[in-house]
Amino acid sequence: MPVVIVVGAQWGDEGKGKVVDLLAERAEMVVRYGGGANAGHTLVIGGDKLVTHLVPSGVLHRHVRCVLGDGMVVDPRVLLDEIAACRQRGLLADGQLIVSSRAHVILPYHHWLEAAREGRAGAIGTTRRGIGPAYESKAARRGVRVVDLARPSRLRELVEQNLDEILPILRSWGRPEPGRPEIDRLIADAERAGQELAPVVGDAARAVDAAVRSGKNVLLEGAQGTLLDIDHGTYPFVTSSSTVAGGACTGAGVAPTRIDHVVGISKAYCTRVGAGPFPTEMAPAQAEEWRVAGQEYGATTGRPRRCGWLDAAALRLAVRVNGLDGIALTKLDVVRGRGRIRVCVGYRLDGVSLDEPPLDAGELARAEPEYVEVDGWGEESRAARRLEELPPGARAYIATIERLVGAPMWLVSVGPDRDDTILLRDPFASSPPQHP
Ligand code: IMP
């Protein structure tokens, strides 16, 4: 049975939560493979809304085991609060959640460092969830892992080692320094969180492998998006993890040979949060219209998202880097009634035509997007459950995207609810594709 990666094809916020929730109906395990509480996945069922930051979007299905993989960075307090919120709704039964003992832990000094950095020149506009500094600790081999929370002397040693490096930096930037009592409290809190988390901590990669080997449907859930990937995104305006499909293999501990399908999620337009070049960004008044129509405010930070035209050239990059088999197009309903629609088909940089955006931030800021314009449509389409039930304009828009991007449409989302979906190809189905 298939192992499927679901990956963001843009700058995050593509609607992965809804798509994962929908596909998870047929999955037995959903695994988050990277990032941390910088993600915010909004799940809507019958008008009821649940936002998860760490727990995988399969959580609404009682038969799904939810795994936080090795590649994640976990803030223990956020996780404990989220587990409690899920349990209050009768979700996450005993044994349903596994948190990798090898995932790294975000501790208060990561927040201190990030807050200080984001207040200085060169700020990225991060989500301020401690993500970057935690991945720095990991790469520096000084990180505290989930397993260390249950080893008091090791935990203390690691925290002291980290503070030895971080406090002088904070001091040199004129930031307030924690005193001994605060540091002791930090360690005690981490230990307590470790005790509370102990029942859900395990060898995530072995659990995922066992599920894959026994033929279960396994979904590897990406966070953020391709253009925020540390290697393949618009560096330095990126997150600090491997968000692309390759990151699913390392982050979840699944061999590339085990992957059956990769599905890329794209909004029917484009958004970006935080700083960094965004060539298809709309003018402020128009962006505001789309922002309101699409409710484009960060699920984690509440920040207004920047809105822009669909960038088919960037999607082409996502198809290439992730090896996308199919696209799931979300928020098609938001496009309705917005007049003629522009789609970026390529770039001009220094007189040269490019079929993908340049990834160097300076070059991307200088590159000129080239657009085609297509007709919009005014007819309501939320009730559509088959492609043929969509207005002709919407169908033509979908066909244009497939042609420009070079990948078929597997799913189209026509509204926020789980049911507001046209499923053209189910990656967990064994039947052949329904769509040409
Ligand atoms: P960080 O991941 O908090 O370090 O933020 C780095 C960059 O990634 C910033 O531009 C954030 O706005 C962006 N980012 C991180 N997570 C998300 C997300 O889930 N959706 C959209 N943007 C994100």
Side-chain angles (χ1 to χ4, degrees), residues 11-13 38-39 124-127 131 224 228 238-239 273-274 303:
W11 272 293
D13 307 318
N38 46 351
I124 304 286
T126 70
T127 59
I131 306 297
Q224 293 81 46
L228 290 173
V238 293
T239 190
V273 198
R303 286 184 291 178

Side-chain angles (χ1 to χ4, degrees), residues 84-411:
C86 289
R87 294 213 161 129
Q88 259 171 14
R89 291 166 182 254
L91 303 170
L92 278 187
D94 284 348
Q96 208 185 332
L97 178 70
I98 307 171
V99 178
S100 171
S101 56
R102 287 181 293 271
H104 278 250
V105 175
I106 298 178
L107 288 165
Y109 48 80
H110 294 125
H111 292 287
W112 301 336
L113 190 56
E114 183 168 38
R117 246 190 222 142
E118 283 291 296
R120 294 168 62 81
I124 304 286
T126 70
T127 59
R128 298 191 179 223
R129 294 299 181 273
I131 306 297
Y135 278 116
E136 286 169 36
S137 299
K138 172 179 175 173
R141 292 153 295 177
R142 298 265 188 282
V144 172
R145 295 183 302 169
V146 169
V147 66
D148 299 314
L149 296 176
R151 298 169 171 162
S153 59
R154 177 79 182 135
L155 174 65
R156 179 169 285 276
E157 186 189 331
L158 280 169
V159 169
E160 301 286 1
Q161 213 176 53
N162 278 279
L163 288 173
D164 264 358
E165 294 184 2
I166 289 171
L167 294 186
I169 298 175
L170 294 178
R171 200 175 306 137
S172 73
W173 290 344
R175 302 290 293 197
E177 270 186 73
R180 196 66 239 173
E182 195 174 344
I183 293 171
D184 288 339
R185 203 162 45 243
L186 179 164
I187 295 169
D189 286 349
E191 249 186 84
R192 199 170 321 110
Q195 286 157 11
E196 287 177 54
L197 283 174
V200 296
V201 174
D203 190 332
R206 291 298 294 263
V208 176
D209 185 60
V212 172
R213 279 175 191 279
S214 60
K216 296 203 157 70
N217 284 346
V218 175
L219 199 161
L220 307 179
E221 175 186 1
Q224 293 81 46
T226 301
L227 296 169
L228 290 173
D229 182 87
I230 182 83
D231 295 302
H232 305 287
T234 51
Y235 192 90
F237 300 100
V238 293
T239 190
S240 300
S241 63
S242 275
T243 61
V244 296
C249 294
T250 51
V254 180
T257 48
R258 300 272 177 204
I259 307 298
D260 295 286
H261 298 299
V262 185
V263 182
I265 319 292
S266 168
K267 260 192 269 221
Y269 49 100
C270 207
T271 62
R272 171 161 211 177
V273 198
F278 182 14
T280 68
E281 188 163 18
M282 294 168 182
Q286 189 164 33
E288 179 61 14
E289 270 179 40
W290 284 70
R291 186 176 302 120
V292 170
Q295 280 304 293
E296 295 296 351
Y297 302 92
T300 297
T301 59
R303 286 184 291 178
R305 296 177 184 143
R306 301 157 70 189
C307 295
W309 301 108
L310 185 75
D311 189 339
L315 283 182
R316 218 172 274 141
L317 181 152
V319 169
R320 172 175 64 79
V321 170
N322 297 297
L324 298 184
D325 296 306
I327 306 270
L329 191 72
T330 60
K331 292 195 156 181
L332 186 68
D333 50 310
V334 176
V335 180
R336 179 181 78 95
R338 317 229 72 78
R340 281 177 70 76
I341 313 157
R342 299 174 91 186
V343 181
C344 169
V345 295
Y347 285 89
R348 296 275 305 167
L349 179 66
D350 302 332
V352 177
S353 289
L354 305 172
D355 63 350
E356 289 181 5
L359 287 179
D360 175 79
E363 287 185 352
L364 187 59
R366 282 194 294 116
E368 293 272 340
E370 293 186 319
Y371 291 103
V372 291
E373 237 181 63
V374 296
D375 285 333
W377 62 95
E379 305 95 310
E380 173 62 62
S381 61
R382 194 161 167 184
R385 296 295 174 266
R386 289 158 11 103
L387 211 53
E388 304 79 67
E389 291 165 6
L390 283 175
R395 289 209 303 270
Y397 188 47
I398 289 170
T400 301
I401 297 168
E402 287 180 308
R403 183 174 49 77
L404 289 172
V405 160
M409 207 55 77
W410 279 18
L411 181 152

